Amino acid sequence: MWLQLTLQVAPQDAEVVADVLRQRCPAVAIEFRGPFEGQSGWGAPAEDSPALDASHALVRVYLPEDEATIALRRSLRLALRFVPLTGPVRWRRARRLREDEWQRAWQKHLRARRAGRLLVRPAWSAVAARAGEVVVEIDPGLAFGTGEHPTTALCLRALSRLVKGGERVLDVGTGSGILAIAAARLGAASVLALDIDPQAVKAARDNARRNGVESVVEVRDGTLTTSVAEAGPFQLVCANIDGLTLERMAPLLAAALAPGGRMVISGFLTETAPSLGRTFEALGLQVEETSVRQPWAALVLARP
């Protein structure tokens, strides 16, 4: 059995609350009750959604019902007490779900999204691609990265512009494999995808097979090391991870980037972008572009 926990929050707080919950529970979905400018970090989805009461958003968490669930729920409540929010958090009554019920409940919140030349859709979506669009099908399992989060959207839009074909790509913290697979579907010659979470590695490998790019995308269980960086250089490097990890890994990320290459990084708040940019500039890179989906940002960096 599974538990569905539902938190009612102000629309502008939904992404922040979801991020806090994702640190402990990968299966988190947001349902905006009505049109909201920051809907799932993308703006308009590829499918129409009904216009409902826009006064709140629902953040849903799906947990296996076991002996650890009560302690985890207490931990979630405690974590949210220290998050600056614009409105109160209201916990709705928990629902118990069978395996098939939780899968359907989780899936209904994942919709097709467009980002530049890309159409990212869950494997069960029937949304058709437009002329010239490249399709990426993702079944996240319990891994992060379905295209719902603003940082993923920012990275996908950057990849849609930057991948011309034939590049060697490195994706650090691949999650469900969405960025690695998108690069491969856009024409990258080879992609090395890294993650330290075994669930993410499994999900990324499954998704690579689902998209027919398993011969292009190599998914490894591990992180970026000196030997991996030296095995480059890569013409394109992606890292959608947190700001502190990006700062710590900056020398290795920069070392992995080929002359004339581009790096796409996200996973940090807008106020962090200038200091991260300076960190990479000190390593010989240039900030080419800063894109924002409040409160998140992404940087495109270049090695001359």
Side-chain angles (χ1 to χ4, degrees):
M1 297 294 291
W2 288 71
L3 279 184
Q4 174 186 276
L5 307 180
T6 303
L7 293 75
Q8 180 177 313
V9 300
Q12 57 267 37
D13 292 335
E15 292 290 357
V16 175
V17 170
D19 283 330
V20 172
L21 302 180
R22 284 190 187 103
Q23 294 175 23
R24 298 162 174 82
C25 316
V28 179
I30 301 174
E31 179 183 345
F32 287 100
R33 289 297 179 130
F36 178 61
E37 183 179 358
Q39 182 171 9
S40 296
W42 284 73
E47 299 165 306
D48 293 333
S49 57
L52 304 173
D53 175 16
S55 63
H56 64 269
L58 302 178
V59 182
R60 303 189 192 276
V61 184
Y62 299 92
L63 302 169
E65 189 178 29
D66 56 28
E67 64 277 3
T69 299
I70 293 177
L72 181 55
R73 292 170 69 178
R74 289 175 182 157
S75 172
L76 295 177
R77 288 179 182 271
L78 180 62
L80 289 173
R81 287 175 56 186
F82 298 96
V83 179
L85 301 175
T86 61
V89 175
R90 177 187 169 194
W91 289 75
R92 295 192 173 186
R93 179 175 296 180
R95 287 183 59 200
R96 299 179 74 234
L97 304 173
R98 298 190 307 272
E99 182 75 24
D100 59 333
E101 290 176 323
W102 100 262
Q103 288 285 357
R104 288 196 300 270
W106 166 232
Q107 289 178 0
K108 77 176 183 179
H109 297 293
L110 304 178
R111 294 175 291 176
R113 305 280 171 174
R114 289 188 160 93
R117 294 185 287 150
L118 292 163
L119 170 63
V120 180
R121 65 190 183 195
W124 53 87
S125 172
V127 174
R130 297 169 180 166
E133 281 188 329
V134 175
V135 176
V136 175
E137 289 194 350
I138 294 294
D139 182 354
L142 290 179
F144 176 81
T146 63
E148 296 290 304
H149 196 272
T151 61
T152 309
L154 291 169
C155 291
L156 286 169
R157 290 189 180 277
L159 288 180
S160 179
R161 295 192 306 272
L162 294 172
V163 178
K164 307 301 182 183
E167 295 89 352
R168 192 178 185 201
V169 179
L170 173 66
D171 180 21
V172 180
T174 197
S176 65
I178 185 170
L179 300 182
I181 293 164
R185 295 283 290 134
L186 288 165
S190 65
V191 185
L192 175 59
L194 306 173
D195 207 295
I196 60 174
D197 182 350
Q199 288 181 330
V201 170
K202 181 181 184 304
R205 287 173 178 164
D206 290 345
N207 283 319
R209 285 192 292 270
R210 177 174 288 106
N211 286 272
V213 294
E214 65 271 28
S215 63
V216 177
V217 177
E218 177 189 355
V219 183
R220 289 187 195 171
D221 186 351
T223 188
L224 181 58
T225 61
T226 302
S227 61
V228 172
E230 290 176 347
F234 299 87
Q235 286 75 44
L236 182 60
V237 174
C238 306
N240 185 16
I241 48 184
D242 66 275
L244 288 176
T245 303
L246 284 168
E247 188 170 6
R248 177 177 56 82
M249 297 181 68
L252 284 173
L253 289 166
L257 188 63
R262 298 294 185 273
M263 182 184 301
V264 180
I265 59 172
S266 192
F268 47 88
L269 299 175
T270 53
E271 56 263 32
T272 308
S275 62
L276 267 177
R278 290 190 293 270
T279 296
F280 282 93
E281 285 174 339
L283 295 165
L285 277 60
Q286 298 174 350
V287 177
E288 276 195 341
E289 178 185 321
T290 302
S291 51
V292 172
R293 287 287 180 89
Q294 290 290 358
W296 302 100
L299 296 177
V300 175
L301 304 134
R303 180 179 293 285

